[in-house]
Amino acid sequence: MSGRPQTLRESLRRLGGTRRSFATHLKPERPLIAGGLAALFAEVGMRLLEPWPLKFVLDGVIAQAGAEGVPTQAMSLQTVLILSCAALLVVIGLRALAAYLMTICFALVGNRLLTRVRADLYAHLQRLSMAFHDKTGTGDLVQRVTADVGRLKEVAVTAGLPLLGNIATLVGMVTVVAIMDWQLALVMVGVFPLFALIGVRLSRRINTVSRTQRKAEGVLATRATEVLSAMRVVQSYSLEERMQREFDSSNTKTLKDGVKAKKLAAGLERKTDVLVGLATAVVLFVGAQRVLAGALTPGELVVFLTYLKAAFKPMRDLAKYTGRIASATASAERIVQVMKVQPEIRNYSWARPAGRFAGEVRFENVWLSYTPGRPVLQGVDLHVRAGERVAIVGPSGSGKSTLVLLLSRLIDPDTGQVAIDGQDLRDLTLETVRSQVAIVLQDSVLFATTIRENIAHGVPEATDEQVEAAARLAGAHEFILNTPDGYETVVGERGGTLSGGQRQRIAIARAAIRDASVIVLDEAMTGLDDDTEREVTEAMDRLTAGRTTLVVTHDLGAAARADRVVRIDHGRADPSPGALARQKRKEQAGATTR
């Protein structure tokens, strides 16, 4: 993306280019758009008619006074006054009605477009791979879903549509005044090149600053989200002042960019006002000469001046909305940028729904790298029989968690095959694979909703009886009943109002309700005290009974309870019977060295 400043025209062109990305969202709104455009052009027509009653009244009054050069009227002045006032009321009423209908139509289109784009963007973000989310700031993504999408609607409804109406008005008025007096019309349009000369230079700078500001706001949102989600760590380590300084630095930069953009936009608006004033003065002087020469009536000059004021309104709006349009362009590009990212993990065209798994798992010559040239898994071969409990041990960073993430296709191998019941997982649909693989993590995240809903997330259509049965299996039923509202108790964000053991048992219940054939326990016991660990262990034993289970753990005591132990070291698997003993020796040697 070029760093060269862009003109307003280029911004509008780029915004039009991003519009193609939203075209499918606009298709259902074509009737409303057509109705809105009809109302817009009706409003423009009424705006063109509005000065004419004044022209007839003024000419009639002047003619009645006996002024020379003003044609007499066939009707009496009283009749002209009545008809002109009635016509003015009708025109103003119709214009108000047209403006109301236009606003309603386009506001509906804008809000519906906003809703569809935001829903699609949110759904798209959920489909993107963990690799994308790991390297993209959460706050920045939230900013795109909320503020950037909202800015698109704002510019469409509050800037784009009035601009379109004013441009249509400008074309109509220039046409009318050219018919009335083409020489005076030339004087009026002569100011446009001056406006273009000033506007191009300033709009480029406004666009550049607006794009920088949008990027800085995304960084600021990411920093705020990161700190607020880790408030326990921040307060425990007394990091408040340091975090505040870093936030203030980013916040000040955003402020400076915003003020700079406002200054540039205000400067463009004031320069435009001066140009409009200059043009009005010239037209007034030349127009008065044309009236004295008999080429125009006084009423026609008033119409001309009224048109002049209205005709320059689009110029003022271009100056006024340059910053908004630039900001909306940056926002649209940020949305399209995310929407163009293709999910790395997806259903292939040949994928078929998986039947009920028996649970036999195979890793065949699996290689995987997060960074090219630095493999995390190197030719892993592993066979887990249906219903077998296998412990995965090894040093930190050896690839243990990466290995089990392959089972739910959160990642795919670079080469090799991961199969369940002899079926390559890439040949099966994601939904049917993931519904049969339940994962309990070390940090079991709960959502800020009721306990019932947190458990039912495993199976959204679960009945109350199924939820309670899963909670009983996880050993959570008793403590849930002791909470203020039982199963309807709302837990804090990430389950922060529950203890670690309670969160784990809710997570076990969430896994149990899925009735999955394959269970993955990834360091699920880490950080629990002895009593809680015993309760959670019993719950996990009930969860995994008769199911294929892979237990990722550093606890060699827990590993000894498995049917088999597989050691992962430097991305290679050692499934031989002596793997546990070798891991124990390595840990003892490490302890002696320390």
Side-chain angles (χ1 to χ4, degrees), residues 339-378:
M339 295 295 285
K340 286 184 176 179
V341 177
Q342 292 299 316
E344 295 178 13
I345 309 300
R346 60 187 185 277
N347 286 326
Y348 293 104
S349 57
W350 61 84
R352 64 183 184 279
R356 175 69 181 180
F357 288 150
E360 181 190 22
V361 175
R362 283 187 182 273
F363 297 86
E364 298 180 356
N365 193 30
V366 170
W367 288 75
L368 187 141
S369 301
Y370 293 118
T371 304
R374 302 181 64 182
V376 177
L377 298 178
Q378 304 183 55

Side-chain angles (χ1 to χ4, degrees), residues 456-537:
H457 279 144
V459 179
E461 66 276 8
T463 63
D464 291 347
E465 291 74 18
Q466 290 173 309
V467 169
E468 184 175 325
R472 288 182 182 277
L473 182 145
H477 180 68
E478 295 301 326
F479 86 75
I480 291 174
L481 292 182
N482 290 328
T483 58
D485 298 310
Y487 282 88
E488 304 307 320
T489 299
V490 176
V491 303
E493 186 177 6
R494 301 179 67 87
T497 55
L498 300 177
S499 69
Q502 290 173 333
R503 285 198 302 272
Q504 284 300 74
R505 279 177 280 177
I506 295 295
I508 292 170
R510 184 168 60 193
I513 204 170
R514 303 187 76 169
D515 190 26
S517 302
V518 179
I519 308 292
V520 174
L521 307 177
D522 191 356
E523 300 286 4
M525 308 297 293
T526 303
L528 301 179
D529 58 61
D530 291 341
D531 291 338
T532 302
E533 182 177 338
R534 184 167 52 254
E535 294 173 355
V536 173
T537 298

Side-chain angles (χ1 to χ4, degrees), residues 199-269:
V200 165
R201 183 174 60 86
L202 285 178
S203 65
R204 280 179 174 172
R205 296 175 62 189
I206 293 170
N207 274 273
T208 300
V209 173
S210 295
R211 293 162 71 86
T212 303
Q213 184 185 12
R214 293 303 303 139
K215 184 176 180 180
E217 287 174 356
V219 173
L220 186 67
T222 293
R223 180 169 294 279
T225 302
E226 183 180 39
V227 172
L228 293 174
S229 63
M231 193 51 65
R232 288 186 182 180
V233 175
V234 171
Q235 293 184 356
S236 297
Y237 286 84
S238 299
L239 298 175
E240 294 91 341
E241 289 188 11
R242 177 181 173 183
M243 294 302 177
Q244 187 65 46
R245 285 195 303 271
E246 293 178 355
F247 183 85
D248 287 345
S249 175
S250 299
N251 197 27
T252 301
K253 185 181 185 309
T254 303
L255 171 65
K256 289 179 178 177
D257 289 336
V259 170
K260 186 176 180 180
K262 290 294 184 183
K263 283 183 176 179
L264 290 170
L268 181 56
E269 287 184 52

Side-chain angles (χ1 to χ4, degrees), residues 572-594:
R572 299 184 183 276
D574 177 10
S576 61
L580 180 59
R582 279 189 287 277
Q583 182 64 22
K584 285 182 179 179
R585 286 197 298 271
K586 186 164 184 176
E587 291 191 2
Q588 289 169 355
T592 302
T593 302
R594 290 193 294 271

Side-chain angles (χ1 to χ4, degrees), residues 143-165:
Q143 190 83 348
R144 297 184 197 224
V145 172
T146 54
D148 285 331
V149 175
R151 195 165 272 106
L152 274 180
K153 189 202 77 168
E154 177 192 352
V155 77
V157 175
T158 65
L161 297 177
L163 194 60
L164 177 62

Side-chain angles (χ1 to χ4, degrees), residues 180 323 390 458 470 553 564:
M180 291 170 60
V390 174
T553 182
R564 189 154 51 99

